[in-house]
Amino acid sequence: MKKMRTFKGGYRFLNFEGQPKDILEEASIPSRVTIPLRQGFGGEGDCLVNPGDKVSAGQIIGAHDYGVSSPVHASISGVVTEVKRFNYFKRDCLMVSIQGDGSPEYQRATGATSAWEQLSEEAIERLLYLSGVTALDREGIPTRMRSSVILPEDVTSLIIHGVGSEPYNTSLEMQLQGKHMLNLVEGIRILRKIMAKAKVYLAINCQRKKILEQINKLTAQYEWLEVCPLEPRYPQGFDEMLVSAILGQKFPYGYSAANIGVVILNVQAVLQAYEAVVEGKPLIERTIALCGPAFKEPLHIKARIGTALNDIVSPRIKEGITPRFVLNGILTGPELKDLTLPIDKTYAQILAIPENHKREFLSFLQFGPLSDSYSHTFVAQAYSKAVKSCETNMHGEARPCISCNYCEEVCPVGIIPHLLSKYVQRSIIDETLMNLRIFNCIECGLCSYVCPSKIPLAKHIKEGQEKLTVSGCDRNQCILPYFSNLRGIEEYRGAKQL
Amino acid sequence: MRLILRNLDTIRGILDKNKKLACLKPIINAIDGFYFGTDKVTSLPHILDHMDLKRYMTFVIVGLLPATIAAVYMWGLRVLAVIAVSYIFGGIVEAAFAVIRKKEIHEGFLVTGLIFPLILPPTIPLWLVAVGVMFGVMFGKEVFGGTGRNIFNPAIVGRIFLTVAFPQMMTTSWSHPFTHGLGGFVNYSADAVAQATPLALFKAEKIVTHYGDLFFGNTMGCIGETCRAGIILGGIFLIAAKISNWRLPLSCLLSLIVFSTLGNIFAPDIFAPALFQILSGGFLFGIFFMVTDPVTAPCTRAGKWIGGALFGFLVVLIRGLSGYVEGVMFSILLLNVFAPLIDHVVVDVKYPKLKT
């Protein structure tokens, strides 16, 4: 038995209440959608439609050819009612509103075929690009159409992961049920065809024994593919940790894996790539996991892109609860305050957890059968089946740091959060912070989570980074001297600013 | 529960009206927080660990309970009076500083208030306990800025102050422990005798006390340090609960074994054998409850190993070669002094200067 690949630090989140069930529900076709023209990786596309135009689902309504970007499609058929700028995740973004006619049909791309092996690489890349799949995940799928910062032939490793190390995860069983398992393998083969030099790693949660077994069987014949069972210890699902765990390579913190020739994709992205090439299906809908105890029934839902959040979450929330909605990851994700905003390509999960302002009587003497903690001081840590509660209470008052070192023990990148936080709080902003590798922080938020003094360490570290940048320190100084072969750096910076 | 809440609200109402009494607010807030916890919610990350400092300190006290109960059994109910005096007078200093600083009262004192009496001789006069704990809390912790900023373990500062200022009462008079029947649970105090502790016996007459007596506490010694069985139990409980880090106690233990064995081989008259050194004096109490105090110990992982090695070496050295019988106390103080330096060096080595 090979030693499991892993990393130092991290924390295993176990059994939080409100895990999404293995059910996939189809949402009804919305009567109105609002589609942001900047979704996923890449810049904002130019708007190709005007108010009053008739569009059909699957028609490209936003694209541009001069920078890193991927096209955006109309997700329903109907009439364009409005093209307007909105504040979308703290950035200005052009949005197209469409009043739909309710038909579920959509345009398929021409040239798609199940005999994809006969297609040329360029034709496959075209299909991927035109379907909009290439904007998925952190640095997109590289094609000749500049959908990512590197070209397909630069890719040395392709990592596909379904590790699920967060407290709440999209169910792998649901994603790979039925023929989807075969589609995944097929999708990997398609991607491998355009990235011919790449070695493919399929990282799967080591506890999904059945899936691992099936995948091992299906892929045994491909010598360029390796299945890596990984422990779902947070933040294993982060790009940084996947690269260091699977490839044993250093990660250029602050840049993306693409810069060292590695492409990292989710299982869902690969499935969508398969659908794009074989079925010609544009990326107009996606599967979103609705997780958390505030939902009546946590499950997965397939919804058209551009559907307002309200339509999706409101009917499914338990009554009498003030929920907080969080996007993609409960430790790192932004809070979704405005429920009139639409969902886009990047939505993988929507979490709803109850706001809890309740004070607990003598909380430090409770046995805590539902309490999750890094320390072993609650009954819930004694038996592995305990279902942990999940709400937003601080569970304690802010106190000065006692150097208990929990944060250093869990830090996946080996920095000392409490030391950095002390420097930042005392406004000592200089090279010392850079020497302590403040820019290696991947903002996983684990240090803040475990702190018994309730110090927002991750926030302090981010503050420190910002102040350093303002005072003229260049974070590239920490990275560039250590890497000789970074590719696409300029493009990456450009894409981030667009 | 409602009753407490109502009372607190009434008191707060009075404080709000009366300007002179308003300075007592930190005390009321501390009581309020003690009972009811917080109603604040998180920002990012959206969920937080259920652990807080109150629970942290509560667990240390739970870890100290076996040793404390054993102490009551061996030295009589007077131990409870000593603990009460320590809590009251230490608490007054703590509250006074909080009122002057207009800051909240922190939980760290809960532990200091219990550890301090456990490292005093059983015959200690109660007024001396009060003097010691007030000195310890004031000069060991508050002058540095309170919990989290102190360089020294406040209990050790108090204890060393007493040892240096009142050597007569601190080092010569001990009691015989109760060992039969209900023992100290039904007696107020044990008889004071002018007899020596196991370490002093070894130093003066090369007598190695029976290991069984040492392990279960049938010897002279400080209030909480003699029942080693209870200390080990409590210490392992704390390590299992991840309250204290396992690295520091382990490295202290290994270091003591190595250096005392070396010393014992080359100079058996001066250096006692390893097992005797482990089981005598305050060594076990020190490594499980005092060295592991996270604020004053080295915080880096490598620093913990280095600090532990240093600690063991110092204990053997002071016990063997100095005029003092017991070296744990001074070793802890010295470890506290060196902790920031050790951490500094470790951090410098771990994070080399950036390439340019």
Side-chain angles (χ1 to χ4, degrees):
Chain A
M1 180 92 188
K2 235 189 330 180
K3 215 183 137 200
M4 182 135 54
R5 304 173 195 217
T6 183
F7 64 98
K8 256 193 194 156
Y11 172 60
R12 176 95 170 82
F13 288 101
L14 266 171
N15 296 346
F16 275 78
E17 63 171 325
Q19 292 293 344
K21 293 179 186 150
D22 294 348
I23 305 170
L24 181 60
E25 214 176 86
E26 295 254 354
S28 54
I29 306 295
S31 59
R32 186 191 159 87
V33 291
T34 314
I35 298 168
L37 290 184
R38 181 182 194 280
Q39 301 183 25
F41 185 76
E44 186 181 303
D46 297 333
C47 184
L48 307 178
V49 289
N50 294 310
D53 287 0
K54 254 184 98 84
V55 289
S56 59
Q59 181 183 337
I60 293 174
I61 55 170
H64 70 77
D65 306 326
Y66 43 87
V68 176
S69 76
S70 294
V72 175
H73 304 76
S75 59
I76 55 172
S77 307
V79 181
V80 177
T81 54
E82 201 179 20
V83 178
K84 203 178 154 189
R85 293 207 160 265
F86 282 97
N87 187 356
Y88 190 58
F89 290 110
K90 293 180 185 162
R91 291 170 80 166
D92 214 28
C93 181
L94 200 62
M95 295 206 196
V96 176
S97 299
I98 301 170
Q99 188 69 40
D101 54 14
S103 88
E105 297 305 314
Y106 56 86
Q107 264 182 24
R108 286 171 193 267
T110 49
T113 164
S114 54
W116 58 266
E117 281 173 82
Q118 274 125 49
L119 294 176
S120 66
E121 281 91 359
E122 204 177 349
I124 294 179
E125 283 167 33
R126 265 202 93 69
L127 279 169
L128 285 173
Y129 176 74
L130 290 178
S131 69
V133 175
T134 45
L136 287 174
D137 289 336
R138 199 161 124 185
E139 59 280 287
I141 302 174
T143 58
R144 257 165 263 190
M145 293 81 189
R146 301 192 71 186
S147 55
S148 181
V149 296
I150 50 172
L151 290 170
E153 59 260 34
D154 291 336
V155 179
T156 53
S157 310
L158 170 63
I159 299 176
I160 290 144
H161 84 95
V163 179
S165 62
E166 300 260 347
Y168 293 98
N169 299 296
T170 311
S171 155
L172 210 55
E173 278 85 359
M174 187 279 306
Q175 282 181 304
L176 296 180
Q177 66 195 349
K179 64 177 172 61
H180 286 108
M181 179 81 86
L182 295 170
N183 294 358
L184 176 74
V185 177
E186 224 32 24
I188 295 173
R189 290 183 57 209
I190 292 171
L191 291 173
R192 153 88 182 172
K193 180 157 182 183
I194 61 168
M195 300 176 227
K197 280 190 213 150
K199 184 153 171 33
V200 183
Y201 300 87
L202 185 53
I204 299 283
N205 186 337
C206 64
Q207 288 171 333
R208 301 282 181 273
K209 295 252 157 62
K210 258 192 183 163
I211 289 181
L212 270 172
E213 211 174 280
Q214 284 172 309
I215 285 190
N216 271 326
K217 244 187 240 162
L218 284 173
T219 59
Q221 49 177 314
Y222 308 119
E223 81 288 351
W224 43 263
L225 186 140
E226 189 181 333
V227 179
C228 309
L230 289 181
E231 192 193 353
R233 187 152 41 95
Y234 186 81
Q236 180 69 76
F238 277 49
D239 290 3
E240 288 88 345
M241 294 296 108
L242 287 167
V243 166
S244 59
I246 294 177
L247 304 175
Q249 250 172 314
K250 260 197 201 163
F251 194 92
Y253 296 107
Y255 291 96
S256 83
N259 299 118
I260 51 171
V262 181
V263 170
I264 299 173
L265 295 173
N266 263 311
V267 167
Q268 194 173 1
V270 178
L271 289 172
Q272 273 158 341
Y274 167 86
E275 285 173 354
V277 174
V278 174
E279 299 167 9
K281 185 176 173 185
L283 185 50
I284 55 166
E285 59 182 3
R286 71 162 293 154
T287 307
I288 298 167
L290 304 178
C291 336
F295 282 113
K296 275 185 215 153
E297 192 189 25
L299 41 66
H300 301 84
I301 188 164
K302 202 175 219 179
R304 290 285 165 109
I305 283 159
T307 313
L309 273 170
N310 243 331
D311 295 351
I312 293 177
V313 297
S314 297
R316 294 185 168 81
I317 287 294
K318 279 182 194 161
E319 269 147 53
I321 281 186
T322 335
R324 180 191 293 192
F325 295 102
V326 180
L327 172 65
N328 294 355
I330 198 156
L331 274 89
T332 51
E335 189 182 344
L336 298 168
K337 283 187 180 135
D338 185 357
L339 293 183
T340 57
L341 287 177
I343 58 165
D344 68 25
K345 282 179 196 175
T346 60
Y347 277 53
Q349 49 178 222
I350 299 170
L351 303 131
I353 50 173
E355 289 279 9
N356 182 3
H357 288 281
K358 238 186 250 153
R359 307 181 73 186
E360 198 180 359
F361 186 61
L362 290 180
S363 60
F364 61 101
L365 293 178
Q366 309 282 336
F367 287 106
L370 305 173
S371 307
D372 184 67
S373 172
Y374 170 73
S375 65
H376 294 166
T377 56
F378 292 90
V379 183
Q381 276 83 62
Y383 58 108
S384 59
K385 287 204 176 122
V387 176
K388 319 288 184 34
S389 68
C390 180
E391 18 81 359
T392 60
N393 197 275
M394 296 263 290
H395 304 297
E397 286 138 321
R399 288 283 181 260
C401 172
I402 56 163
S403 316
C404 65
N405 224 22
Y406 282 3
C407 50
E408 192 194 341
E409 301 270 340
V410 297
C411 183
V413 291
I415 54 178
I416 309 179
H418 70 88
L419 200 61
L420 293 171
S421 156
K422 279 170 196 162
Y423 274 109
V424 174
Q425 277 183 306
R426 287 168 202 169
S427 302
I428 307 173
I429 309 285
D430 55 18
E431 295 89 58
T432 333
L433 281 178
M434 284 176 64
N435 259 335
L436 293 172
R437 307 298 190 265
I438 192 169
F439 285 118
N440 284 14
C441 177
I442 58 170
E443 293 170 31
C444 68
L446 208 48
C447 45
S448 304
Y449 180 79
V450 298
C451 182
S453 294
K454 310 294 169 194
I455 301 167
L457 294 157
K459 195 176 121 198
H460 290 161
I461 292 175
K462 203 165 177 195
E463 257 174 48
Q465 291 181 345
E466 278 159 12
K467 281 184 189 163
L468 269 176
T469 315
V470 169
S471 71
C473 286
D474 186 7
R475 73 180 293 163
N476 300 319
Q477 231 178 300
C478 305
I479 299 299
L480 296 185
Y482 293 87
F483 293 87
S484 52
N485 53 347
L486 289 183
R487 274 166 295 208
I489 290 178
E490 292 309 318
E491 287 90 338
Y492 183 73
R493 275 183 220 153
K496 277 214 135 178
Q497 276 156 16
L498 268 171
Chain B
M1 183 178 159
R2 289 256 170 77
L3 193 74
I4 304 170
L5 202 58
R6 207 177 307 142
N7 280 336
L8 282 173
D9 280 342
T10 347
I11 298 173
R12 212 175 273 146
I14 297 170
L15 292 190
D16 282 339
K17 275 176 218 151
N18 194 325
K19 272 201 186 134
K20 268 185 198 159
L21 287 176
C23 62
L24 293 177
K25 258 205 156 162
I27 299 171
I28 299 301
N29 286 343
I31 296 170
D32 185 49
F34 180 82
Y35 279 112
F36 297 108
T38 182
D39 59 349
K40 289 203 183 87
V41 290
T42 54
S43 52
L44 196 75
H46 299 280
I47 51 170
L48 284 185
D49 200 295
H50 281 249
M51 173 82 160
D52 65 348
L53 272 202
K54 283 198 188 71
R55 199 171 179 86
Y56 196 99
M57 299 304 172
T58 314
F59 263 70
V60 180
I61 289 174
V62 173
L64 283 165
L65 277 185
T68 313
I69 292 167
V72 176
Y73 177 78
M74 287 184 296
W75 315 114
L77 296 172
R78 188 169 180 279
V79 169
L80 296 179
V82 174
I83 293 172
V85 168
S86 160
Y87 266 123
I88 292 167
F89 283 90
I92 289 174
V93 177
E94 181 88 15
F97 270 90
V99 167
I100 294 166
R101 286 214 191 96
K102 300 194 173 62
K103 288 249 173 78
E104 281 183 77
I105 297 175
H106 294 155
E107 289 81 6
F109 173 69
L110 293 176
V111 172
T112 308
L114 185 57
I115 284 186
F116 181 68
L118 294 185
I119 53 171
L120 297 174
T123 54
I124 184 108
L126 292 179
W127 65 269
L128 209 54
V129 179
V131 171
V133 76
M134 287 167 87
F135 185 89
V137 172
M138 196 180 309
F139 291 98
K141 187 166 77 175
E142 294 303 343
V143 290
F144 293 104
T147 309
R149 299 223 172 96
N150 47 321
I151 298 166
F152 303 116
N153 189 322
I156 272 303
V157 172
R159 157 92 210 214
I160 286 184
F161 169 70
L162 293 187
T163 312
V164 174
F166 307 93
Q168 271 295 314
M169 290 178 230
M170 291 296 289
T171 51
T172 53
S173 69
W174 304 92
S175 307
H176 248 309
F178 294 107
T179 49
H180 296 289
L182 286 171
F185 295 139
V186 289
N187 287 296
Y188 180 65
S189 73
D191 302 327
V193 285
Q195 210 182 336
T197 59
L199 275 173
L201 282 176
F202 180 83
K203 192 149 214 167
E205 301 161 46
K206 310 294 162 226
I207 300 169
V208 173
T209 314
H210 187 256
Y211 289 138
D213 285 346
L214 282 173
F215 189 70
F216 290 107
N218 186 16
T219 60
M220 317 280 127
C222 290
I223 294 176
E225 70 178 26
T226 55
C227 180
R228 274 92 196 180
I231 292 167
I232 293 170
L233 193 73
I236 289 175
F237 168 75
L238 286 189
I239 290 170
K242 280 202 200 174
I243 294 289
S244 48
N245 194 299
W246 54 274
R247 291 185 182 89
L248 207 41
L250 185 66
S251 66
C252 289
L253 196 66
L254 290 179
S255 155
L256 184 95
I257 291 172
V258 168
F259 287 115
S260 60
T261 310
L262 278 179
N264 193 245
I265 290 169
F266 293 110
D269 286 352
I270 300 171
F271 299 104
L275 189 59
F276 175 75
Q277 296 238 24
I278 291 169
L279 290 176
S280 57
F283 181 73
L284 285 174
F285 191 84
I287 62 170
F288 281 125
F289 296 111
M290 309 202 64
V291 167
T292 49
D293 169 23
V295 181
T296 55
C299 65
T300 50
R301 274 176 251 185
K304 287 195 164 94
W305 290 109
I306 298 168
L310 177 75
F311 177 78
F313 176 71
L314 286 172
V315 170
V316 174
L317 205 66
I318 297 175
R319 278 181 177 178
L321 298 179
S322 80
Y324 284 93
V325 172
E326 173 60 299
V328 171
M329 185 172 64
F330 291 107
S331 305
I332 293 174
L333 196 77
L334 285 170
L335 176 62
N336 290 171
V337 172
F338 279 109
L341 181 67
I342 293 172
D343 280 337
H344 195 85
V345 173
V346 168
V347 167
D348 272 0
V349 172
K350 191 175 172 192
Y351 300 103
K353 277 227 150 53
L354 289 165
K355 282 192 212 167
T356 43

